[in-house]
Amino acid sequence: MKLLIVEDDPIAAEVLAQNLESLGHQTQLARNGLEALASVAQDSFDVMVIDRMMPKMDGIEAIKQLRANHNTMPVLILSALGDVDERVEGLQAGGDDYLVKPYALRELVARLEVLVKRSQTVMSPILNDWIEVFDLRLNKVSGKVFRQEKRVLLQPQERKLLEYFALNPNQLITRNMLLEKVWDFHFDTDSNLIDTQISRLRTKVDKPFHPPLIHTIRGKGYVFSHTPDVLA
């Protein structure tokens, strides 16, 4: 698993990270909600472990912002605040699970594995060699693309871009994510590479059909969705 640990106590954060890494997992640390949102905007994670009480932006507000940005990454709240009302508040804010400190590492890992497995089962649109999402089908082997059962002819890079969108439906996808995952660029670029490819893809995948699937979130990136409600 690739985890984002959001904890303002540096000792607690480092101990948790070391324990998880000793079990073969990857970790990244953030000291508060603002840093967590910045990390999520730059990279993707399988799951987030977040404390509630932190400076600048607490865990509850960070989760609300995460969900407002249409990010469905599973989130486990790890907090010393364990009253029923506090747990309910965390879950209602968009948390997927809540574990009270002090905790047993084995239980934490088990809960995280369940969250990640559940997320992959729900979100993965892969069926054999086909990716099927909304009214679109893409074959990863042959490269054939169909929307509403009509063949769509794409260039290789356009297919790669569409595949990344199709594997991450209803989630905010930043330009940096596209540069890294689609073009393998690990740096920002001022070129109009993404704009050009998005425009070409929309011409082939969106304009001949309804509704459009590729939505621009001004100043943030893109969302691949069948309904405009995801932008609300």
Side-chain angles (χ1 to χ4, degrees), residues 15-165:
V15 169
L16 177 55
Q18 289 178 358
N19 285 332
L20 290 169
E21 288 173 3
S22 71
L23 297 174
H25 304 298
Q26 294 178 277
T27 65
Q28 182 170 319
L29 302 181
R31 294 173 296 181
N32 54 60
L34 290 176
E35 288 189 8
L37 295 177
S39 296
V40 170
Q42 295 295 323
D43 202 354
S44 58
F45 301 89
D46 295 316
V47 62
M48 176 191 290
V49 179
I50 189 168
D51 190 15
R52 283 193 55 155
M53 303 297 291
M54 295 179 294
K56 296 186 179 179
M57 180 185 287
D58 64 23
I60 298 298
E61 182 60 29
I63 294 171
K64 289 180 179 179
Q65 289 290 327
L66 190 74
R67 300 312 186 211
N69 290 336
H70 317 295
N71 190 306
T72 58
M73 172 180 56
V75 175
L76 183 145
I77 302 170
L78 188 61
S79 176
L81 302 178
D83 290 345
V84 172
D85 289 344
E86 292 164 339
R87 297 200 303 271
V88 169
E89 182 185 16
L91 296 173
Q92 290 180 337
D96 298 281
D97 200 356
Y98 199 114
L99 185 59
V100 179
K101 300 176 182 178
Y103 60 92
L105 180 64
R106 289 177 58 193
E107 181 182 4
L108 172 63
V109 172
R111 287 172 179 257
L112 293 174
E113 289 175 344
V114 168
L115 289 180
V116 171
K117 183 177 181 179
R118 183 189 304 159
S119 174
Q120 291 174 342
T121 300
V122 172
M123 293 304 298
S124 177
I126 300 177
L127 180 62
N128 298 323
D129 293 328
W130 288 92
I131 301 171
E132 299 189 13
V133 58
F134 309 131
D135 55 0
L136 182 137
R137 295 191 298 129
L138 187 154
N139 191 289
K140 296 184 68 176
V141 177
S142 68
K144 291 182 179 179
V145 176
F146 297 87
R147 182 161 186 208
Q148 297 175 6
E149 299 306 318
K150 295 182 180 179
R151 179 77 183 273
V152 179
L153 300 178
L154 300 177
Q155 296 298 318
Q157 197 63 40
E158 294 167 347
R159 284 199 304 270
K160 190 175 180 181
L161 177 59
L162 179 62
E163 180 177 326
Y164 186 74
F165 274 128

Side-chain angles (χ1 to χ4, degrees), residues 157 160 175-188 193:
Q157 197 63 40
K160 190 175 180 181
R175 295 173 66 89
N176 284 342
M177 289 178 184
L178 292 177
L179 287 171
E180 180 176 347
K181 303 300 182 180
V182 178
W183 283 275
D184 200 29
F185 289 173
H186 297 275
F187 55 88
D188 198 2
L193 173 67

